[in-house]
Amino acid sequence: MNTRGLLDQLLKSGQDLLQNKGVARQDGGQPSSSGKGGLDLGSLLSGAGGGALAAGALGLLLGSKKARKMGGKVVTYGGLAALGVLAYKAYGDWQQKQASAPRTEPQTVDRLPPAQAEQHSHAILRAIVAAAKADGHIDDRERQLIDGEIAKLTGDVELQGWLDRELAKPLDPAEVARAATSEEMAAEMYLASLLMIDETNFMERAYLDELARQLSLDAGLKVELEAQARRALDAVPA
């Protein structure tokens, strides 16, 4: 499965959402909002081109104005590499504050050979899908729309099937956390979830706290990751 390529497209699409690309209606009108304060499903699906399609898929996953927050400083680094850069910095800052910790080079997704980067990407995408489900907004209709958008982005039938199963399964932070096989991978999964979650939503915040517990994140590392996410999202215009 080429999870890395799909994930990179989805993360880069945050810039399209931020700049209202890929969400303009075919009739030339302004993008409309859903009753939940989010982006209208029809307007998300009306764009053309890979960036617009990825923006549509991401917007459908998020189902709210959070989609716009995926833009800003995060995507200025470039897609999946952006996530790696933020995780690397958070991990490095945390290491510097550990008096007795060995100063090893963090092996984040942006610094790994292809095979390992693919493994990290798979875990990160699992975390993103789970975070998108944390507020319970994805119903059967939205799942079908997401499946359709993902199919436009990748012809990998195995990957499409895996994503569909991830969307369908009950939300289980313990099961999500089991995908992390290293501290850096756990950090990336938590950071990706942070960028997706609306922390003012009780259900989403509760999910995020439980995910951190299941990932066995060090309290100090968790603080650094949250600080990096906050700086990235603060750079996004309201």
Side-chain angles (χ1 to χ4, degrees), residues 20-32 40-49 52-53 55-57 60 145 149 152:
N20 288 326
K21 292 178 181 176
V23 296
R25 286 163 41 186
Q26 288 178 325
D27 61 6
Q30 293 300 311
S32 59
D40 178 72
L41 298 181
S43 65
L44 280 166
L45 296 173
S46 66
L53 293 174
L60 286 168
L145 289 169
E149 288 300 284
K152 295 174 187 176

Side-chain angles (χ1 to χ4, degrees), residues 140-217:
D140 289 342
R141 176 174 176 267
E142 286 172 311
R143 267 188 57 205
Q144 290 177 358
L145 289 169
I146 292 167
D147 287 345
E149 288 300 284
I150 295 297
K152 295 174 187 176
L153 293 171
T154 175
D156 188 330
V157 177
E158 185 183 1
L159 179 54
Q160 291 173 27
W162 177 81
L163 273 168
D164 191 50
R165 292 190 297 274
E166 287 296 308
L167 284 164
K169 68 171 57 168
L171 185 62
D172 182 356
E175 190 268 341
V176 175
R178 282 195 289 272
T181 58
S182 69
E183 201 161 38
E184 291 96 329
M185 195 183 293
E188 291 161 355
M189 291 173 69
Y190 184 70
L191 181 59
S193 301
L194 271 171
L195 293 169
M196 291 283 172
I197 287 285
D198 178 1
E199 294 186 67
T200 64
N201 181 296
F202 173 78
M203 292 171 64
E204 296 183 67
R205 181 69 246 185
Y207 167 77
L208 194 61
D209 289 341
E210 181 59 19
L211 178 65
R213 190 177 77 82
Q214 294 292 341
L215 287 168
S216 301
L217 281 181

Side-chain angles (χ1 to χ4, degrees), residues 4 7 18 21 27 35 43 45 52 58 68 72 94 102 113 118 123 129 151 158 210 220 227:
R4 184 183 180 187
L7 179 60
L18 182 71
K21 292 178 181 176
D27 61 6
S43 65
L45 296 173
L58 182 68
R68 297 180 184 275
W94 169 69
E118 177 68 14
V129 171
E158 185 183 1
E210 181 59 19

